[in-house]
């Protein structure tokens, strides 16, 4: 005699079989959650036709063979691939990688370049300025900017007007020697928009340099 739990499982199996085979919408809905299986089985069916005769279907340029495929199969394959990558693969992979960068930045204190570049911030920029002093030593200044100005006005103290560049004439002094070489200045004079030296290093001149 069958036990009660065996009869119960048989009843559930029969109900599921009737509902699954008798309700097309439910069958389609359940197949959506098995996208890798749908993609794999459809890809196998396509390769059975495209790879017939010993052809390499992934590297074949015979467009006539692709035209012989059933449109429903192609649409099913492309829809499953698009839905799988757009809804599942890309968002999940992006969230996992973004969570890892947030963890390494805030906890492990590393991967600053990768984490900062992925944020795509227009502010917090920096650049290096090199200077060779009179003794031949190389000075490297790291200049940082907390906020990038978005609105600009002409600087009334611009050196080009003072040194004769206003009317297209040749300036008397080179621009690097001007007190205000930049023609434009931020509309709002904020401390956050002012550049500042965030690091400095000096490299001494080599004494073995040939004269």
């Amino acid at each position: 005699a069958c036990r009660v739990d065996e009869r119960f499982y048989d009843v559930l199996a029969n109900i599921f079989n009737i509902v699954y085979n008798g309700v097309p919408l439910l069958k389609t809905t359940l197949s959506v959650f098995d996208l890798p299986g749908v993609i794999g089985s459809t890809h196998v069916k396509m390769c059975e036709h495209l790879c017939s005769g010993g052809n390499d279907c992934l590297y074949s340029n015979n467009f006539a063979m692709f035209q012989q495929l059933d449109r429903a199969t192609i649409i099913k394959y492309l829809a499953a691939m698009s839905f799988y990558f757009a809804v599942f693969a890309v968002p999940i992979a992006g969230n996992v990688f973004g969570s890892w960068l947030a963890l390494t930045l805030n906890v492990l204190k590393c991967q600053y370049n990768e984490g900062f570049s992925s944020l795509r911030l227009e502010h917090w920029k920096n650049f290096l300025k090199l200077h060779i002093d009179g003794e031949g030593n190389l000075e490297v200044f790291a200049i940082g900017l907390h906020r990038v100005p978005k609105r600009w006005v002409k600087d009334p103290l611009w050196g080009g007007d003072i040194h004769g560049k206003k009317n297209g004439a040749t300036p008397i002094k080179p621009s690097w020697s001007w007190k205000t070489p930049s023609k434009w200045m931020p509309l709002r004079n904020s401390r956050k928009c002012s550049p500042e030296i965030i690091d400095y290093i000096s490299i001494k001149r080599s004494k073995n340099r040939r004269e």
Side-chain angles (χ1 to χ4, degrees), residues 38 42 46 68-80:
V38 174
T42 308
M46 294 173 61
Q68 296 176 5
L69 292 174
D70 186 12
R71 292 184 179 180
T73 302
I74 298 177
I75 294 175
K76 180 181 179 181
Y77 180 74
L78 295 178

Side-chain angles (χ1 to χ4, degrees), residues 23-190:
V23 183
L25 180 60
L26 179 60
K27 183 178 181 179
T28 305
T29 305
L30 293 176
S31 64
V32 170
F33 293 94
D34 188 25
L35 284 178
V38 174
I39 295 173
S41 61
T42 308
H43 184 76
V44 170
K45 293 180 180 179
M46 294 173 61
C47 286
E48 289 178 354
H49 176 74
L50 297 176
C51 300
S52 60
N55 296 324
D56 295 332
C57 58
L58 296 180
Y59 302 97
S60 177
N61 295 323
N62 190 358
F63 185 70
M65 296 187 64
F66 286 90
Q67 289 181 328
Q68 296 176 5
L69 292 174
D70 186 12
R71 292 184 179 180
T73 302
I74 298 177
I75 294 175
K76 180 181 179 181
Y77 180 74
L78 295 178
M81 289 286 293
S82 302
F83 187 78
Y84 178 74
F85 282 99
V87 178
F88 293 101
V90 175
I92 292 176
N95 280 289
V96 170
F97 188 69
S99 301
W100 166 250
L101 289 179
L103 178 65
T104 54
L105 281 174
N106 296 283
V107 179
L108 303 179
K109 305 299 181 181
C110 62
Q111 292 187 343
Y112 292 100
N113 291 334
E114 294 81 358
F116 184 80
S117 61
S118 62
L119 295 176
R120 301 180 64 182
L121 297 177
E122 61 181 358
H123 303 292
W124 301 96
K125 301 300 182 182
N126 63 83
F127 63 94
L128 298 179
K129 186 174 183 180
L130 308 181
H131 174 257
I132 300 177
D133 60 11
E135 298 180 358
N137 302 323
L138 176 62
E139 295 180 316
V140 182
F141 298 89
I143 302 176
L145 194 64
H146 293 276
R147 290 290 185 273
V148 176
K150 297 182 178 180
R151 302 180 64 182
W152 302 83
V153 293
K154 183 179 178 180
D155 190 353
L157 301 177
W158 177 49
D161 293 339
I162 299 175
H163 298 289
K165 199 174 181 180
K166 182 176 181 180
N167 297 323
T170 303
I172 301 174
K173 295 182 179 180
S175 59
W176 57 263
S177 64
W178 300 350
K179 185 177 181 180
T180 54
S182 178
K183 184 176 182 180
W184 305 99
M185 59 180 298
L187 179 62
R188 299 179 59 184
N189 189 10
S190 175

